Amino acid sequence: MKAIRVSVGFNEWSKVDDFLREFRHEDDTFTYQVDNVTFVAVCEDEDAMDWFKARLLTDFEEPIIVELK
């Protein structure tokens, strides 16, 4: 399993809920919104994480991604 913490700019807070909603029914990805601009994603494998990160970089201007252990 891979986990990341993501923070986005305050000017993009309104995008977070819609973005996370897209992953609610994915079997290989779990997301948890911490606050308006921060969320955690846990993916089953590297492929799922790569897809999640690619979507992050497409949907948000400069997300801050921190790998969690």
Side-chain angles (χ1 to χ4, degrees):
M1 296 193 126
K2 299 281 186 176
I4 58 173
R5 182 181 70 230
V6 180
S7 298
V8 299
F10 285 107
N11 61 328
E12 296 188 293
W13 72 268
S14 61
K15 296 180 187 179
V16 173
D17 192 47
D18 289 338
F19 177 79
L20 295 179
R21 188 175 296 125
E22 293 180 31
F23 292 92
R24 283 197 183 133
H25 300 291
E26 294 291 326
D27 292 335
D28 57 359
T29 303
F30 169 79
T31 60
Y32 177 78
Q33 187 170 354
V34 177
D35 58 30
N36 288 348
V37 295
T38 307
F39 52 93
V40 174
V42 180
C43 296
E44 187 174 282
D45 56 28
E46 194 68 38
D47 291 337
M49 183 58 74
D50 288 345
W51 172 246
F52 190 85
K53 286 180 180 178
R55 289 296 313 279
L56 275 174
L57 297 174
T58 300
D59 290 9
F60 297 99
E61 289 179 23
E62 293 182 24
I64 299 169
I65 302 169
V66 177
E67 301 286 333
L68 301 176
K69 294 182 181 189

